[in-house]
Each structure stands twice: as C-alpha cells, then as structure tokens.
Amino acid sequence: MRSASEPAGEVEGDQGEAEPRLNRVRLLLVAIGLIGAVALDFLSRSPNRLLSGQPVPWGVIIEGGRIVAFAPAVVILVGIFMPGRRGLHLAVALAAAILAASLLWLAGDAALRLFDPAAPAARTSFGGAFWILEAATVLIAADAMQRLGLSPAARLAAGLALTLPTLAVLFLGGADSLSILKEYANRREVFAEAVLRHIQIVGATLVPTLLIGIPLGIAAFRSARLRGPLFAVLNVIQTIPSIALFGLLIAPLSGLVAIAPALGALGISGIGATPAIIALTLYSLLPIARSTAAGLEQVPVSAVDAATGMGMTRGQIFRSVQAPLALPVLLAGLRVTVVQAVGMTAVAALIGAGGLGAIIFQGLAASALDLVLLGVVPLVALAVAADVLLKLAISMMRRNAA
C-alpha cells in the first residue's frame, strides 16, 4: 500500500523499488521514433547503386494490411503509462524485439515487391527513418531489460534471445532484396576476410598494450615522481590525430626494413598492419596504464595492512590482494581500449591495413552508401559486442566480490 508520504504518481514495483508511473525514457524514444518516421524516408529507391534514390511512400510499404507489422508498438505505448512491473518490462522487451524484426521484414518485403526484372541494377535502400526506428526499438528493449534487474549472465542470455527474431528475418531471406544485402552477397568472401582481419588487428594490438601498459600502470602507482611525466607523455600521444600517427610511422619503418631486410620477411613494412598495430598500441597505453594505477589506488589500505600482518611478502600482497581487487577497474580500462581500437582500426585501412575500414573507404570512393554501411554496421556491432561482454565481466566480478 502506498504511504501518505510517497510521491504521487509512483508505485512499488515487484522488486520493492518505486518506479514512476510514466516511463519518460520510453516516451522520449517513442517520440523520437515518430518524429523520424514522419520527417525522414523509411526506404529509398534508385536506378543504380551510385545515383541518389527517391523516397518510397509509406502507402507502398504498408499496403495490403502490412501495417499489422506495427502491432507490437501497442505494447510499447501501453508500457509508457502503466506502472513498472516485471511482467510489463518483459512484454515491452519482447515487443521491441519483434518490432525491430518487423521493421526489417517490412523493408525487405517492400524491396522485393519493387523489384523490376527489367531494371536489375535498381536498388532499394534504408532511409533515415528506418535507422531511427530501429535504434529507438533497440534502446527501448535495452531499457526494459535494465529495469528487469536480471543478473549479468541472465541479461546477456536474454539479450541474445531478443536478437533471434531479427536473425530469423535475415537468415530466412526476408531482407535479401535490399541493397545492403545485395552488396553483402556480391562481396561475401571479401566481407568475411575484412571482419577477420579487423579482429586480428585489434587482438594483435591488445597483446603489446597489456604487456607494456600494465607494468607502466604499476610503476605509476608505486612512484609518484614517475606518474606525472608518464601520463603527460601518454596524453600527448592521445592528442596526435590517428591518420597523422599512422603516416609518421611509415618512414621509420620503411627505413628499418631497408637496413634489415630480414624484417620484411617477417611481414614488417612501412604500410599495412605493422604501423597500424604500433600506432593503436601507443593510443591504447593511456587507458590501460591509468586504469591499472587507479585500480591499485582504490584497494583499501586495511586489506593491505591485514595481508602484511599475516606475514605476506610484497609480491604475495600484490598477487593475492591488490591485483584481484584492482581487476574490475583494469577491465573498465580494457573495455575503453577495445572499443577505441575497434573504431580506430577502420582508419588504419588508409595505410593498407585492411579490415572493415577498407570496405568503408571503397564505398566512400565510389559514392556507394550501401557499401559504406556494409562496413559500418558490423563495425558498430563489434564495438557494441566488446562493450557488452566486458561490462558483463566487470559486473560479475563486482557481484562476486560483494
């Protein structure tokens, strides 16, 4: 029962936490989605991949009763004004996942109906309204999952389950007539190689970053005199534009290979993956070193004193007390590093490193927006996946430590 002192308009959820009756987050996201749907095009159709397209009217997209694809939106609208209950949050999350898949199916279905065998080069592409509506539904699902209060592992499992409707549309061919899927079909092998190359560069960057950054962070924690100059140098490196740093490494690496040709046989050269990995490592040192030092600084002095009282040596205290307690903060720095490396590796394609950036720049050079998106969409997916997995690891560690 609500007490007299409880603010009006709030109720007790199933978890005992008071939630506003009006869900402002959902209201805002729905408003953004509606504005995007009215102001922008959901789909556009062009004579070929290079020319600008003309908007496809909503009447064509939803003709024949296809407006029923928006039925899950009713649950989301109800969820704005109903009290926050676990069952409602679960229903909203499911509705948002189904709506996201329905939007993709609507686009693919319209592209299939607009296909003209007499104009095989014609393309149907996503418009701005599609991306805004998809983003709004994904954020609504994420908000509902957050309010369910699930454990980190359960949240990850539920999140993967919510992607199943969209994956079903993709794998059953419901979107194959869209331009971006045609670009994928034409470059299937190149796309797979680009994704693998991108992951390899990011993975190869993390090895030297951790081997160098963690010792630097430990040194900064133990020596106040070293901390200032070290972080000043790493901050200066961060201020150098990525493309400039990539370019600065070309000449010295080329000269090094000229002096020692054997390095060329190892794959080292002035262009390609080597300067990309070196530059990305230099950029990644600051978040790793700073998070290592910050993690060690937040270890309670009482824990170190207790370990000292038990007769532990300095090395035993570091391995058994300080390092485990500092690990969540170090992982937070690693999360920033990985997400940053995933994004900056795309720029490394300009010096021949390959990866998804190569597809993006090919699309930009050819003014082919769908080819650009073929590189951008998996790039964003990789960054989000890395962020979610490392956040999950941090949450599990903090929960176990509590």
Side-chain angles (χ1 to χ4, degrees):
M1 180 179 296
R2 188 166 58 192
S3 66
S5 60
E6 185 177 342
E10 292 189 352
V11 296
E12 288 290 331
D14 291 351
Q15 295 176 276
E17 296 180 356
E19 286 195 11
R21 188 180 295 276
L22 178 67
N23 189 313
R24 295 181 177 86
V25 175
R26 285 175 200 158
L27 179 61
L28 176 63
L29 291 171
V30 168
I32 291 173
L34 288 174
I35 293 172
V38 172
L40 301 174
D41 306 324
F42 186 75
L43 290 175
S44 65
R45 183 164 177 79
S46 60
N48 56 56
R49 59 186 296 218
L50 302 180
L51 296 179
S52 299
Q54 296 299 317
V56 178
W58 273 109
V60 174
I61 296 169
I62 60 175
E63 70 178 2
R66 291 177 176 81
I67 195 171
V68 73
F70 286 95
V74 176
V75 179
I76 296 174
L77 292 174
V78 172
I80 294 175
F81 304 101
M82 294 291 288
R85 303 287 183 187
R86 289 178 63 89
L88 180 65
H89 294 320
L90 180 60
V92 169
L94 288 172
I98 295 171
L99 181 58
S102 299
L103 291 170
L104 180 61
W105 174 82
L106 265 182
D109 174 71
L112 180 62
R113 286 184 285 117
L114 291 170
F115 176 73
D116 183 1
R123 300 296 182 100
T124 303
S125 305
F126 294 125
F130 173 84
W131 294 112
I132 289 178
L133 286 170
E134 283 285 353
T137 53
V138 169
L139 290 174
I140 288 171
D143 172 69
M145 295 293 296
Q146 181 74 23
R147 293 170 188 272
L148 280 172
L150 300 174
S151 66
R155 197 184 313 161
L156 177 63
L160 292 174
L162 291 179
T163 63
L164 292 178
T166 298
L167 292 177
V169 173
L170 285 173
F171 285 105
L172 293 176
D176 284 356
S177 297
L178 289 162
S179 179
I180 188 172
L181 271 298
K182 288 184 177 178
E183 295 285 1
Y184 169 73
N186 293 335
R187 293 171 172 78
R188 193 186 302 267
E189 293 184 359
V190 173
F191 177 81
E193 290 175 2
V195 172
L196 180 61
R197 179 74 164 177
H198 206 98
I199 295 173
Q200 286 174 337
I201 293 174
V202 173
T205 298
L206 291 180
V207 175
T209 296
L210 293 174
L211 290 177
I212 300 171
I214 291 177
L216 286 178
I218 294 172
F221 166 70
R222 291 180 173 172
S223 173
R225 295 178 58 186
L226 175 64
R227 188 179 311 159
L230 173 64
F231 287 143
V233 171
L234 296 180
N235 272 315
V236 169
I237 293 174
Q238 285 272 328
T239 62
I240 301 175
S242 58
I243 188 62
L245 188 54
F246 290 142
L248 286 173
L249 291 171
I250 292 176
L253 285 173
S254 298
L256 188 62
V257 174
I259 296 172
L263 294 175
L266 299 175
I268 298 175
S269 65
I271 60 172
T274 303
I277 292 171
I278 294 174
L280 292 172
T281 300
L282 291 174
Y283 276 120
S284 302
L285 288 178
L286 180 60
I288 289 295
R290 192 178 287 281
S291 62
T292 301
L296 292 171
E297 287 171 358
Q298 56 90 44
V299 174
V301 176
S302 58
V304 177
D305 291 342
T308 304
M310 293 171 64
M312 288 186 178
T313 63
R314 188 179 182 185
Q316 289 174 325
I317 292 173
F318 178 78
R319 290 190 299 273
S320 304
V321 178
Q322 291 177 308
L325 292 176
L327 193 55
V329 180
L330 173 59
L331 282 179
L334 180 61
R335 180 173 65 86
V336 173
T337 300
V338 172
V339 173
Q340 174 183 275
V342 168
M344 293 184 66
T345 299
V347 183
L350 290 173
I351 56 170
L356 291 166
I359 296 177
I360 295 171
F361 289 115
Q362 283 176 16
L364 290 173
S367 299
L369 179 58
D370 290 304
L371 187 55
V372 174
L373 291 175
L374 185 62
V376 169
V377 172
L379 184 68
V380 173
L382 279 177
V384 171
D387 182 69
V388 169
L389 290 176
L390 286 169
K391 271 185 179 176
L392 173 67
I394 294 168
S395 299
M396 294 179 72
M397 281 187 177
R398 286 181 172 157
R399 176 169 291 209
N400 292 334

